[in-house]
Amino acid sequence: MATTSTSAAIGSVVVRTGRTLDEWVRIVRASGLDPHDQEAVHRWLRTEHGLLRGPAWTVADAAARASAGPRPVVERLRDVVEQFGDDVVVDEDGGRVLFRRGHPFASAAARGAGVRLELRFAHPPGSDRMAEAADGVHRLELGSVAEIDGEVEALLQVAYSQCG
């Protein structure tokens, strides 16, 4: 739950800029800056967007917190997938990371504090952790690196194998 001072700071950002905190976080993500380098984000917001000191720090902090959860999860998924073979291609498409072997077999995208992993199967294996979406795509929500266990690695391997 946000404290009163945090709520006031967020309200100040909206009142002073006309943009919500979520909009500012998206702007920071699109900037190409590392959201974890709060000082650089703060300077950029002040210089490029004219934000005052307080609102700039509020946005920089929110951008760093928003990036904390998904980033290590996506990097771990990338490490796993790149071990499958030299034919794996990893592309960034907006907010998604695509894993391809000719055609995409998986994608990962930030979803709140976690990551939504989408896997494409010709013949899906059974797993209670996946939810079927459509057209052979199955979804898996990952909240931390610890959730990328042997089962998730095996599901990625199957999607990779079926894509070739």
Side-chain angles (χ1 to χ4, degrees), residues 81 87-91 93 96-108 117-122 135-138 156 158-164:
V81 167
D87 58 347
V88 172
V89 176
V90 180
D91 289 323
D93 177 24
R96 285 189 320 162
V97 176
L98 300 173
F99 303 106
R100 296 185 298 114
R101 182 184 188 197
H103 299 286
F105 63 89
S107 69
L117 175 63
E118 292 186 344
L119 302 165
R120 182 171 298 279
F121 298 106
D135 299 327
V137 175
H138 289 69
L156 282 161
V158 171
Y160 165 82
S161 298
Q162 291 182 7
C163 187

Side-chain angles (χ1 to χ4, degrees), residues 63-136:
R65 279 186 287 106
S67 298
R71 185 176 187 173
V73 174
V74 171
E75 290 305 315
R76 176 65 184 133
L77 290 169
R78 173 182 240 149
D79 290 345
V80 169
V81 167
E82 287 178 337
Q83 293 178 27
F84 294 159
D86 293 336
D87 58 347
V88 172
V89 176
V90 180
D91 289 323
E92 301 232 5
D93 177 24
R96 285 189 320 162
V97 176
L98 300 173
F99 303 106
R100 296 185 298 114
R101 182 184 188 197
H103 299 286
F105 63 89
S107 69
R111 189 82 168 169
V115 169
R116 172 173 283 170
L117 175 63
E118 292 186 344
L119 302 165
R120 182 171 298 279
F121 298 106
H123 307 286
S127 173
D128 293 337
R129 293 173 68 182
M130 293 189 305
E132 186 171 2
D135 299 327

Side-chain angles (χ1 to χ4, degrees), residues 36-49:
H36 297 281
D37 186 354
Q38 289 187 21
E39 289 183 17
V41 171
H42 179 264
R43 274 192 311 275
W44 179 78
L45 289 165
R46 293 200 62 193
T47 304
E48 297 297 322
H49 293 281

